């Protein structure tokens, strides 16, 4: 990566105020994404994937606190923008597709209304041309223009259709960065593949940089250029997709992949497995490696200090005190 | 939408019919109309004669249908106490009460909704606290005391408004404030909780993600969803205020429906009581139907289900 990365996140911390104290949803997260590249974020439920995405977009819930050393998208330093400037970017330069298609559209307004208001806002289009463009975009995401969908309300559409509407809406203003947070998790298996195909196709066609959050290793192997593995709010391993899937170096990543029948040859629908044990409480500080309690290779040193994310020879980053050679033989 | 309206109107009609039947039955069970009409020093014979002459000796259902038929023709009978047709009394009293009701409703909505919205946009700030205090104040304060305070301050000490009466618009201002203040707290609080709820919803997050301006997010996307339960409550408040308030009408010497109800109850004036109760219930039925129609317009999910 000789050029400056398109997205650059450094030292992102997200705390949530919860009844028991402060929940550290994301700790010291750093990653860069080159222009046009797809980064997949994987990890168990609750590992902080959505919070990372929402933190980057500035869409955190009201009980959240965000801090970071650097948050850059393109030429924009997100940390120095005020709310108005941020609003100008959102939907225009960077857009997000949510995990919850059923509830992410406003029940009171028609599809056409919700789509066109974005064009009116960012591209200063008139209402009529905006509706025409919205219709074209629906066609583009596989919703035929004949069906009068523009005049329908969200409750008249299935989850798959709603997610298509969302994808069309969020891509309409040609953002340079799209964050897709498990866009297919809430949908039927048959619909999942279609939506994924659609999104991946559009991303390639439009040359968009993408952050894709998923549980599905099949999806990872198909669309990701690089993968970041999150555990208990931290990125524990990050690197090129092939290398991570073939040769995981963090015990957690390895654990996830071992649950899959043939690592590296995953098919769509192959999910991350489960590892025995439970995630440490995110409330309060960690005293050592967050995975130590579940790690089959944990040593005394693992509980004493939080391992740093270190760069290994092949450029991949791993948050573990040990190298794979020390942990398991290459057999 | 048309089917929805027709169904809603049919339901309203049915409820109105039930209410009229119930009112008629209750009043005729609890009060002997002949006795009430004859006055205190009438003999048994006089009463019996009156009973036959007025047709009170006929079976109740016959009398009800008879009454209903006249009512449908706009004839509520003659008030034995006032010696005037009840419809004249109503027409005479109605404008004052309706004017006051409309003004008070408007006042409560114009103050209550924005206060609730602002409180929800800035929760747990000074603004929120102040509007919450307004709500508590509005709820706790007795009408008669508030009326007197306003009169002393704004009509006597600083004679800006008339003390009482119905001359001109300015004489409605103080009663509007008193009556409307009662309705502010429920409207304000429901708007606040509704907005807080909606503001943390997924579709509002989407609206922010689209880069919409705060005013679009708050007023176009959030308020429309949050206002639906408020409409229903505001309608009940409005019906209450359109039915007239005895205290406010008494203090400000406004001769409206509230006073008429009071007077007719005192004199066991059955025809007037029946008319007043019917009108009161018609306001309720009308306003709740209106709120359903408004909500069906606001939220498409109500329209279809
Ligand atoms: N609004 C909130 N208030 C308090 N805690 C929250 C809130 N939203 C999420 N959390 C907590 O923050 C942590 C990270 O949540 P996040 O939604 O980022 O997980 P995720 O990796 O996206 O999981 P999933 O795969 O289930 O979507 C979890 O422990 C979760 O319980
Ligand atoms: Mg999530």
């Amino acid at each position: 990566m000789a050029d400056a990365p398109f997205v650059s996140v450094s030292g992102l911390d997200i705390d949530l105020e919860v009844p028991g104290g402060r929940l550290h949803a994301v700790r010291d997260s750093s990653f860069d994404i080159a222009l046009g590249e797809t980064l997949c974020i994987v990890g168990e439920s609750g590992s902080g994937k959505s919070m990372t995405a929402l933190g980057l977009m500035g869409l955190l819930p009201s009980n959240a606190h965000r801090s970071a050393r650097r948050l850059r998208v393109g030429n924009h330093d997100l940390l120095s923008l005020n709310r108005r400037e941020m609003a100008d970017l959102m939907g225009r330069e960077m857009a997000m597709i949510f995990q919850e298609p059923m509830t992410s559209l406003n029940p009171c307004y028609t599809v056409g209304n919700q789509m066109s208001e974005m064009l009116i806002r960012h591209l200063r289009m008139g209402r009529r041309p905006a509706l025409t463009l919205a219709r074209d975009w629906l066609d583009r995401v596989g919703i035929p223009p004949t069906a009068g969908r523009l005049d329908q309300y969200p409750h008249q559409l299935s989850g798959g259709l709603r997610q298509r509407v969302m994808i069309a809406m969020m891509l309409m203003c040609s953002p340079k960065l799209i964050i897709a947070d498990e866009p297919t998790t809430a949908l039927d298996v048959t619909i999942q593949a279609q939506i994924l195909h659609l999104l991946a196709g559009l991303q390639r066609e439009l040359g968009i940089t993408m952050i894709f959050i998923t549980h599905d290793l099949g999806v990872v192997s198909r669309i990701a250029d690089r993968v970041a593995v999150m555990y208990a709010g931290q990125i524990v391993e990050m690197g090129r997709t092939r290398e991570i899937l073939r040769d995981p170096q963090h015990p957690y990543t390895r654990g996830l992949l071992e649950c899959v029948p043939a690592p590296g040859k995953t098919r769509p629908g192959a999910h991350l497995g489960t590892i025995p044990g439970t995630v440490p409480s995110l409330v309060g500080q960690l005293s050592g490696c967050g995975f130590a309690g579940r790690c089959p290779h944990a040593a005394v040193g693992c509980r004493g200090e939080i391992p740093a994310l270190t760069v290994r020879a092949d450029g991949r980053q791993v948050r573990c005190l040990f190298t794979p050679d020390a942990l398991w033989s290459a057999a | 939408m048309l089917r929805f309206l027709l169904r809603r109107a049919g339901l309203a009609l049915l409820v109105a019919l039930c209410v009229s039947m119930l009112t008629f039955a209750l009043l005729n069970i609890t009060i002997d109309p002949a006795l009430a009409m004859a006055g205190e020093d009438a003999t048994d014979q006089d009463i019996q004669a009156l009973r036959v002459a007025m047709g009170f000796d006929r079976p109740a259902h016959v009398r009800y249908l008879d009454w209903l038929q006249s009512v449908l023709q706009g004839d509520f009978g003659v008030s034995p106490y006032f010696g005037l047709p009840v419809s004249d009394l109503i027409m005479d009293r109605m404008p004052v009460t309706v004017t006051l009701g409309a003004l008070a409703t408007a006042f409560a909505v114009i103050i209550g909704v924005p206060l609730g919205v602002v409180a929800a946009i800035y929760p747990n700030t000074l603004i929120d606290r102040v509007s919450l205090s307004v709500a508590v104040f509005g709820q706790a304060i007795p009408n008669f005391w508030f009326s007197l305070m306003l009169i002393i301050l704004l009509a006597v000490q600083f004679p800006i408004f008339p003390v009482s009466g119905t001359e001109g618009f300015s004489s409605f201002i103080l009663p509007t404030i008193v009556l409307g203040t009662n309705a502010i707290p429920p409207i304000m609080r429901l708007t606040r909780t509704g907005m807080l709820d909606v503001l943390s919803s997924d579709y509002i997050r989407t609206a922010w993600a689209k880069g919409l301006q705060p005013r679009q997010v708050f007023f176009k996307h959030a308020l429309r969803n949050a206002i639906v339960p408020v409409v229903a409550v505001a309608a009940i408040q409005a019906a209450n205020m359109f039915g007239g308030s005895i205290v406010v009408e008494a203090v400000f010497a406004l001769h409206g429906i509230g006073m008429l109800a009071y007077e007719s109850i005192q004199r066991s004036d059955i025809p007037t009581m029946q008319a007043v109760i019917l009108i009161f219930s018609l306001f309720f039925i009308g306003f709740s139907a209106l709120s359903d129609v408004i909500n069906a317009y606001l939220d498409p999910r109500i329209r279809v289900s």
Side-chain angles (χ1 to χ4, degrees):
Chain A
M1 269 187 272
D3 307 334
F6 184 66
V7 177
S8 179
V9 173
S10 170
L12 176 63
D13 274 299
I14 296 169
D15 293 353
L16 292 157
E17 272 168 37
V18 292
R22 261 170 117 85
L23 185 152
H24 301 276
V26 177
R27 299 176 207 243
D28 191 23
S29 197
S30 304
F31 54 87
D32 291 341
I33 313 172
L35 191 67
E37 193 181 42
T38 298
L39 172 76
C40 267
I41 302 181
V42 299
E44 287 172 303
S45 190
S47 54
K49 306 183 296 295
S50 294
M51 287 298 142
T52 304
L54 294 173
L56 187 55
M57 286 290 290
L59 291 173
L60 290 168
S62 54
N63 59 340
H65 300 273
R66 176 186 82 178
S67 69
R69 281 192 300 279
R70 187 170 61 238
L71 278 187
R72 292 193 67 88
V73 172
N75 298 321
H76 307 284
D77 174 9
L78 302 189
L79 292 175
S80 69
L81 296 183
N82 64 29
R83 202 169 149 151
R84 271 236 335 256
E85 294 162 330
M86 194 65 200
D88 287 340
L89 289 190
M90 294 214 281
R92 180 76 179 91
E93 299 271 311
M94 49 199 286
M96 179 154 178
I97 296 162
F98 297 97
Q99 199 170 347
E100 304 87 5
M102 299 309 284
T103 51
S104 290
L105 290 169
N106 192 325
C108 285
Y109 293 98
T110 59
V111 166
N113 186 320
Q114 296 187 54
M115 290 181 76
S116 59
E117 76 177 340
M118 228 171 143
L119 297 167
I120 296 167
R121 159 81 170 91
H122 290 298
L123 306 184
R124 313 232 161 276
M125 291 176 83
R127 229 177 63 83
R128 282 185 174 275
L131 282 171
T132 310
L133 188 60
R135 177 167 316 150
D136 294 346
W137 264 98
L138 284 186
D139 195 21
R140 221 163 154 177
V141 298
I143 302 178
T146 47
R149 298 285 186 202
L150 282 181
D151 299 323
Q152 288 192 315
Y153 290 92
H155 72 269
Q156 295 169 297
L157 307 178
S158 68
L161 281 177
R162 290 187 212 188
Q163 199 62 301
R164 281 173 198 265
V165 168
M166 185 63 88
I167 291 171
M169 186 161 82
M170 288 302 181
L171 292 181
M172 264 188 324
C173 295
S174 338
K176 299 193 183 71
L177 169 70
I178 185 104
I179 302 177
D181 185 0
E182 304 190 44
T184 63
T185 305
L187 304 175
D188 280 345
V189 184
T190 46
I191 312 289
Q192 286 186 1
Q194 295 172 10
I195 296 282
L196 181 76
H197 190 75
L198 171 73
L199 196 55
L202 285 168
Q203 186 252 342
R204 223 167 304 136
E205 186 185 327
L206 304 170
I208 307 174
T209 308
M210 179 153 79
I211 298 177
F212 196 100
I213 297 172
T214 183
H215 280 125
D216 188 331
L217 287 178
V219 171
V220 173
S221 65
R222 263 175 51 202
I223 67 168
D225 296 304
R226 287 191 309 131
V227 185
V229 181
M230 283 194 74
Y231 181 79
Q234 293 178 315
I235 293 178
V236 293
E237 182 164 4
M238 181 161 58
R240 278 192 287 277
T241 308
R242 278 169 60 106
E243 287 163 12
I244 297 244
L245 291 181
R246 286 231 178 114
D247 170 31
Q249 299 200 352
H250 193 283
Y252 176 67
T253 317
R254 196 174 155 101
L256 290 180
L257 292 172
E258 263 170 6
C259 309
V260 180
K265 288 185 192 150
T266 47
R267 293 180 313 280
H271 281 256
L272 293 177
T274 44
I275 298 169
T278 51
V279 188
S281 165
L282 298 179
V283 181
Q285 292 300 328
L286 288 175
S287 56
C289 171
F291 190 56
R294 296 164 79 185
C295 182
H297 312 285
V300 185
C302 295
R303 299 181 202 275
E305 58 172 313
I306 302 178
L309 195 63
T310 50
V311 185
R312 302 252 159 112
D314 58 356
R316 112 170 54 188
Q317 291 165 286
V318 185
R319 195 185 287 276
C320 184
L321 295 178
F322 303 102
T323 58
D325 301 338
L327 293 177
W328 51 76
S329 60
Chain B
M1 190 69 186
L2 190 68
R3 265 188 55 197
F4 173 85
L5 288 178
L6 285 177
R7 215 173 36 199
R8 197 60 194 78
L11 186 69
L13 219 64
L14 208 70
V15 176
L17 206 66
C18 288
V19 169
S20 72
M21 225 180 290
L22 214 66
T23 321
F24 190 91
L26 285 175
L27 284 179
N28 281 282
I29 288 166
T30 49
I31 304 169
D32 179 347
L35 191 67
M37 200 180 252
E40 284 177 5
D41 33 45
T43 62
D44 284 354
Q45 270 142 348
D46 292 343
I47 294 170
Q48 188 53 35
L50 195 61
R51 188 168 286 142
V52 176
M54 297 305 292
F56 294 144
D57 53 345
R58 294 173 300 160
H61 68 273
V62 176
R63 282 194 290 138
Y64 170 70
L65 289 177
D66 197 35
W67 174 79
L68 189 63
Q69 198 181 3
S70 329
V71 165
L72 289 178
Q73 290 160 359
D75 175 12
F76 290 89
V78 175
S79 158
Y81 168 61
F82 292 97
L84 287 167
V86 174
S87 48
D88 287 2
L89 284 172
I90 302 277
M91 290 317 276
D92 187 38
R93 306 295 191 96
M94 193 71 114
V96 174
T97 299
V98 166
T99 308
L100 181 58
L103 288 172
T105 304
F107 176 73
V109 169
I110 288 172
I111 305 282
V113 170
L115 268 184
V117 169
V118 170
I121 293 177
Y122 306 101
N124 305 321
T125 59
L126 188 67
I127 301 172
D128 189 15
R129 301 271 148 70
V130 167
S131 44
L132 215 69
S133 323
V134 170
V136 171
F137 172 82
Q139 202 136 51
I141 198 163
N143 270 351
F144 70 90
W145 185 81
F146 190 32
S147 305
L148 291 177
M149 286 300 123
L150 284 183
I151 289 175
I152 291 170
L153 191 69
L154 296 177
V156 179
Q157 209 70 2
F158 304 96
I160 305 168
F161 303 108
V163 175
S164 64
T166 52
E167 280 97 60
F169 178 71
S170 65
S171 56
F172 279 101
I173 290 180
L174 295 186
T176 294
I177 294 174
V178 174
L179 195 58
T181 300
N182 286 308
I184 291 176
I187 291 177
M188 179 259 152
R189 273 215 295 262
L190 214 59
T191 307
R192 180 180 180 272
T193 32
M195 278 295 278
L196 276 178
D197 230 37
V198 169
L199 285 177
S200 63
S201 69
D202 289 343
Y203 56 83
I204 293 301
R205 192 179 58 190
T206 306
W208 290 121
K210 287 158 84 173
L212 299 181
Q213 266 131 12
R215 104 187 111 77
Q216 287 175 296
V217 176
F218 290 135
F219 296 104
K220 178 179 174 184
H221 284 274
L223 187 57
R224 184 157 175 170
N225 284 279
I227 207 77
V228 167
V230 180
V231 171
V233 162
I236 294 173
Q237 300 289 335
N240 254 325
M241 297 192 282
F242 273 77
S245 156
I246 295 173
V247 172
V248 173
E249 288 184 11
V251 173
F252 290 97
L254 300 167
H255 292 281
I257 297 286
M259 284 307 285
L260 185 63
Y262 174 70
E263 289 157 350
S264 66
I265 292 167
Q266 279 233 307
R267 318 285 167 174
S268 298
D269 182 345
I270 294 187
T272 308
M273 272 153 79
Q274 270 171 341
V276 168
I277 295 173
L278 187 67
I279 285 170
F280 194 60
S281 63
L282 283 181
F283 275 129
F284 263 94
I285 293 163
F287 274 107
S288 86
L290 182 67
S291 89
D292 284 358
V293 170
I294 293 176
N295 280 342
Y297 165 76
L298 290 175
D299 188 340
R301 288 167 301 180
I302 300 173
R303 244 172 282 165
V304 286
S305 63

